[in-house]
Amino acid sequence: DRMCLNCDVTKKWKEEFTTAPREGAYINGLFMEGARWDIKMGTIADAFLKELFPAMPVLYIKAVTQDKQDTKNVYECPVYKIRLRGPTFVWTFNLKSRERASKWTLAGVCLLLQT
């Protein structure tokens, strides 16, 4: 029980990848609710007006030991299957943030597998 998943959001989209990673996996097709991902800054940012579910860039997920997990300046972002919360919970990814995690919690920020 000393292993956990490390989530790094890349600056690329699905079409820009040609090979699989040496270890871990690339994940595509997630959407963010309540905020957006700022590719230039590499952090969560406030959502644009009228953009309800912005697409996420490709995420690189790999297993690491808990002592190597970065827990500073991160928001523990829940991942849900659909917009219905609760029974559709899948996992929690640590996403980098310049703001306090409480801001994103109060905004209800999450990742969705489908909109």
Side-chain angles (χ1 to χ4, degrees):
D1 287 337
R2 291 188 223 164
M3 299 299 288
C4 61
L5 291 180
N6 185 39
C7 174
D8 288 323
V9 182
T10 68
K11 295 185 177 193
K12 297 180 181 180
W13 299 97
K14 177 185 173 184
E15 298 77 23
E16 300 175 54
F17 287 92
T18 56
T19 60
R22 288 183 179 219
E23 58 181 284
Y26 292 129
I27 296 179
N28 178 52
L30 293 175
F31 301 90
M32 186 173 275
E33 182 178 27
R36 67 181 173 86
W37 186 259
D38 187 337
I39 293 178
K40 292 179 184 175
M41 301 292 278
T43 63
I44 300 174
D46 290 320
F48 292 132
L49 294 176
K50 298 184 181 180
E51 189 176 37
L52 300 178
F53 306 103
M56 289 288 290
V58 174
L59 281 75
Y60 174 54
I61 309 296
K62 74 175 189 177
V64 296
T65 56
Q66 287 182 344
D67 60 330
K68 293 183 181 178
Q69 178 77 10
D70 186 18
T71 58
K72 190 174 182 181
N73 298 325
V74 296
Y75 166 61
E76 293 183 16
C77 186
V79 180
Y80 296 99
K81 293 179 189 175
I82 58 175
R83 289 176 51 200
L84 176 68
R85 310 275 175 115
T88 65
F89 176 77
V90 178
W91 198 260
T92 301
F93 287 149
N94 288 344
L95 300 180
K96 294 179 185 175
S97 172
R98 291 183 159 208
E99 307 283 340
R100 298 184 114 167
S102 60
K103 174 181 179 173
W104 308 119
T105 303
L106 290 172
V109 175
C110 69
L111 292 176
L112 302 172
L113 298 178
Q114 71 179 41
T115 58

